[in-house]
Each structure stands twice: as structure tokens, then as C-alpha cells.
Amino acid sequence: MAYAEVDGVRFWYETQGSGRPLVLLHGGFGAVETFAAIRPALAQRRRVISVDLPGHGRTADVDRPLRYESMADDVAALIVHLGLVEADVLGFSLGGGVGLRLAIQHREVLRRLVVVSAPCRRQGWFPEVLAGMPEPDEAAGERMRGTPPEQLYQRVAPRPQDWPRLWARNGELLRREYDWSPEVATMTTPTLLVFADADSIRPSHMVEFFGLLGGGHRDAGWDGTDRPDARLAVLPGLTHYDIVDSPALPAVVLPFLTHTLNTPT
């Protein structure tokens, strides 16, 4: 457990296990605790580095808007700072968006990427999820006092009074339109997409996203030689809100991180 000063951000990170590095990026309003249920399983095979993203958990807010692109720059700088060379990255929800931008903007620091329950364009969310995304104002954050994310923030944040500010910043980020489809189609990082079968992401978008990465266009052949390096997993009986607690998640992630690809990395 330590802090790392990187490009104006004082990152909190925790390390567990040994072996090839795997960086975990949590979802909105979360912290390293998001992965508490699955970190032990991952750490049996990997050196797991769990990171509190800017403004979240123990990593204090910096005086700039939250953006997927800038957070990807920050995480890339942290990976270099920690000497991780080529790291594997697993991002959930908001962290999945950061992981995607990391693959787009900083391919050189990535070995493999796992995106859990995150779309590559904003309209990939179900309409009711889009409608329910946080209002970008601090008064709305005040109304969320007493919720589990707010309680976690009060327990670990260096400036607990910043909760309304974090709510407003996340709300502003989540309500911005984006479509990274053209950039995703050019990605070369081997990527595993993982969704729940009752996720907040539309199933049609899961297939669309996989297709952009080269998946689902043809039969793999009897020996699998025409299989793409991208992978798609849809985990049964789960939702966006409990997928990171399920042992099914490390069960699909670890084989992806260790198997031999058709295209060597």
C-alpha cells in the first residue's frame, strides 16, 4: 500500500501477489475495494496492482475535469513510474473506459486488456441507464449521503468533504457523448470483453463491440486458426452491479491472460 506522485496526481495503489503485473481500474465512485472479492483469486497467478483513479478513494481530486482520456494518460504514466513495462489491465465500468483509452492512446504500456461491463460508445448503455446517470451538480451529491459509495468515500478519502465535487465531476463525465468505434477498430492490443447477461450494456452493443475488435465475422475453423485474438465472455446470472464480485470473472480472465495468441505479443 503506497502513494505514487505522477504528473500532478498522488495515486494510491495496493499490490498483492507476484508474477506478471495486472493493473485493476475500478468503476465510478469506487476504489480498490471494488475488487476485494476477486483479488485473492487473481493474486494467486499475478502481481495485482489495484489503483484508486483520480478523485476516487484515496487519490485526491486534481483541479481539472474528469475525462477518460486524461485518466488514461495518468494511468500510463503510473505504469511507467512503477516500472511495470508491459502490463495487463482490467477495467470495470468507468475503469473499462479508461482501459480502452489506454489501449488507444498508450499501446506501448499494454500487453493485454480486459474490459468489464463498459461500452465503446455512450449509446451502448440501455436508455434507462443513460437517463439515470448522475446529475452534474454538487447538490445531487449531497442527496446521496449515506449510500454505500459515499460511506466508502468518507472512510478512505483524504478530503471527505470533496464527495459532492466527485459526484458532480462524474456526472459531467458520464453525460458527455462519445463514440470510440473508429479508434477501437484500429486497436492492436489483445482484448477480452466481459459482460453480464443482465448487464447495463445492450447485448447488441456487446456484439457490435466484439465485431470492431475482429470477432464474430467468421467460423474459427476446426483447429481454431481463424479465431481472432479478441475474446467475448457473457457471464450468466449476473448484472452490472455484481459481476466484479463473482468467481466467474477471474475464471475467464486468467486463462485469457495466459493463453497463446494467434498473433504473438
Side-chain angles (χ1 to χ4, degrees), residues 97-170:
V98 175
L100 267 179
R101 292 308 312 181
L102 195 63
I104 292 166
Q105 298 167 210
H106 298 282
R107 170 65 179 91
E108 71 282 357
V109 304
L110 268 182
R111 176 178 171 269
R112 299 188 189 185
L113 173 65
V114 180
V115 176
V116 181
S117 291
C120 67
R121 59 185 181 91
R122 189 170 181 270
Q123 296 304 315
W125 300 97
F126 277 113
E128 60 270 27
V129 177
L130 291 173
M133 285 184 171
E135 290 290 340
D137 74 58
E138 296 191 8
E142 291 290 352
R143 294 192 292 272
M144 299 304 292
R145 296 285 187 184
T147 61
E150 191 269 344
Q151 291 175 339
L152 172 62
Y153 191 81
Q154 293 300 316
R155 190 168 73 249
V156 305
R159 297 196 300 265
Q161 66 273 21
D162 283 353
W163 166 257
R165 179 181 176 90
L166 174 63
W167 182 271
R169 285 183 178 276
N170 266 286

Side-chain angles (χ1 to χ4, degrees), residues 204-216:
S204 59
H205 181 70
M206 302 174 192
V207 175
E208 173 193 8
F209 195 168
F210 186 45
L212 290 169
L213 294 168

Side-chain angles (χ1 to χ4, degrees), residues 49-128:
I49 301 97
S50 308
V51 177
D52 281 352
L53 290 169
H56 292 74
R58 299 159 187 82
T59 300
D61 189 24
V62 291
D63 191 19
R64 66 183 184 216
L66 281 184
R67 295 288 184 270
Y68 292 106
E69 293 82 357
S70 61
M71 286 190 283
D73 289 341
D74 294 335
V75 171
L78 177 65
I79 288 172
V80 172
H81 176 83
L82 296 178
L84 301 180
V85 194
E86 283 189 316
D88 296 329
V89 171
L90 183 156
F92 162 65
S93 196
L94 177 105
V98 175
L100 267 179
R101 292 308 312 181
L102 195 63
I104 292 166
Q105 298 167 210
H106 298 282
R107 170 65 179 91
E108 71 282 357
V109 304
L110 268 182
R111 176 178 171 269
R112 299 188 189 185
L113 173 65
V114 180
V115 176
V116 181
S117 291
C120 67
R121 59 185 181 91
R122 189 170 181 270
Q123 296 304 315
W125 300 97
F126 277 113
E128 60 270 27

Side-chain angles (χ1 to χ4, degrees), residues 27 34-35 37-38 42 90-93 114-118 193-201 206 233-253:
T34 295
F35 298 104
I38 63 170
L42 295 172
L90 183 156
F92 162 65
S93 196
V114 180
V115 176
V116 181
S117 291
L193 304 179
V194 187
F195 300 98
D197 64 351
D199 213 308
S200 300
I201 313 298
M206 302 174 192
V234 180
L235 305 184
L238 299 173
T239 73
H240 187 80
Y241 309 100
D242 61 10
I243 190 171
V244 289
D245 297 327
S246 172
L249 183 55
V252 298
V253 168

